[in-house]
Amino acid sequence: MKVSLFATCLANALYPDIDMTMAKILTYLGLTVDVPEGQACCGQIAFNSGYFDDAREVARTTINAFEKSEVVVGPSGSCIAMIHHYYPFLFENDPVYLAKAKDLIHKSYEFTQFIVDVLQKPDLGTKYKAKATYHPSCHATRLLGIKDAPLTLIEHVHDLELIPLPESQLCCGFGGTFSVKMPKISEAMVAEKAEHVLESGADLLLGLDMGCLMNISGYLEKINKPIKTMHIIQLLGEGMK
């Protein structure tokens, strides 16, 4: 199987080690990995701000970049959810790109979803000693229906103790542009999330969307109670060393 990496803006710009580690893990599993150079943003920032025409233009770029890909895998439930749920809306009056969007939808996956549900390889022989808790991001959980896959991967990491996160279903308050437009509401939400993370007693916070983890870890640092934060891909990469 040949897998095309969907780098995503946040990982590519701020956390490139996540993309690099994802490529290494997929290669380790015997897959051929490429990174189509024409890819750009999924369009979510423009879409969430109501700029549908701009979002449509960016979405076309993404569709074109992966048109010849066999499978597309990304490190973000949020970006993959944008493709799956909102591309059909963006191209409802464009039959050519609607068909192309549906093709991309059928072959694109969030990383944990792909490893557990498609490859069925939950145990990568990883080992990492920590007391960890997991934050389920909204878009992955609510829009893609991803619930068990990330937990399955975490549970197969040897020496890792997984502690339940109180009120785990609550949003962290990031929401991309929401945190900029509604900063006070956003901060109140992340304050509540941070309180639950601290309440868990964990020394490691895990997640599958760096937007959420960046938001939560940033607030924990602000209140001088920092906790180590890792994307599940980073955890697996460390555990496989």
Side-chain angles (χ1 to χ4, degrees):
M1 188 185 296
K2 186 175 183 179
V3 176
S4 293
L5 225 68
F6 182 23
T8 74
C9 299
L10 196 60
N12 185 44
L14 300 178
Y15 307 99
D17 64 297
I18 292 176
D19 285 332
M20 297 297 292
T21 303
M22 179 167 64
K24 290 178 181 177
I25 292 172
L26 294 173
T27 302
Y28 170 80
L29 292 173
L31 307 175
T32 301
V33 178
D34 72 345
V35 186
E37 293 184 1
Q39 63 180 285
C41 176
C42 67
Q44 184 175 174
I45 296 174
F47 183 84
N48 288 347
S49 299
Y51 295 101
F52 294 160
D53 289 340
D54 296 303
R56 196 175 290 113
E57 183 178 351
V58 176
R60 282 198 186 96
T61 302
T62 300
I63 290 171
N64 291 339
F66 296 110
E67 188 169 10
K68 296 181 180 179
S69 298
E70 181 182 350
V71 177
V72 178
V73 178
S76 165
S78 183
C79 298
I80 299 297
M82 173 66 195
I83 294 171
H84 283 221
H85 278 262
Y86 299 116
Y87 277 21
F89 167 78
L90 286 174
F91 298 108
E92 60 182 353
N93 296 318
D94 184 340
V96 174
Y97 268 88
L98 179 59
K100 292 182 178 183
K102 289 180 178 178
D103 177 62
L104 179 56
I105 290 168
H106 291 148
K107 64 184 180 184
S108 57
Y109 303 90
E110 180 274 330
F111 174 81
T112 66
Q113 181 186 44
F114 181 69
I115 297 296
V116 175
D117 298 338
V118 178
L119 296 183
Q120 298 184 351
K121 297 280 188 181
D123 192 346
L124 301 178
T126 52
K127 184 177 181 180
Y128 194 91
K129 190 172 182 60
K131 290 172 61 178
T133 194
Y134 167 71
H135 164 67
S137 57
C138 295
H139 286 176
T141 304
R142 292 167 172 76
L143 297 183
L144 293 178
I146 297 174
K147 296 181 180 179
D148 296 332
L151 291 172
T152 299
L153 280 174
I154 294 170
E155 288 167 355
H156 279 85
V157 176
H158 302 282
D159 290 342
L160 186 77
E161 180 185 354
L162 182 59
I163 303 170
L165 177 63
E167 302 291 345
S168 62
Q169 79 283 355
L170 295 180
C171 176
C172 75
F174 182 56
T177 52
F178 171 80
S179 62
V180 177
K181 293 178 180 178
M182 308 282 188
K184 291 185 178 180
I185 298 175
S186 176
E187 183 169 358
M189 293 172 73
V190 74
E192 184 176 22
K193 175 62 68 172
E195 180 183 337
H196 292 313
V197 171
L198 294 171
E199 183 184 336
S200 73
D203 52 36
L204 173 64
L205 174 63
L206 298 170
L208 54 74
D209 266 299
M210 279 312 303
C212 302
L213 295 176
M214 181 176 67
N215 187 42
I216 300 169
S217 64
Y219 184 81
L220 286 168
E221 288 180 13
K222 179 182 177 181
I223 62 174
N224 296 315
K225 294 182 179 179
I227 288 179
K228 186 175 179 63
T229 303
M230 297 175 80
H231 191 289
I232 289 177
I233 291 173
Q234 293 171 313
L235 169 70
L236 296 176
E238 287 295 319
M240 291 170 74
K241 285 182 179 179

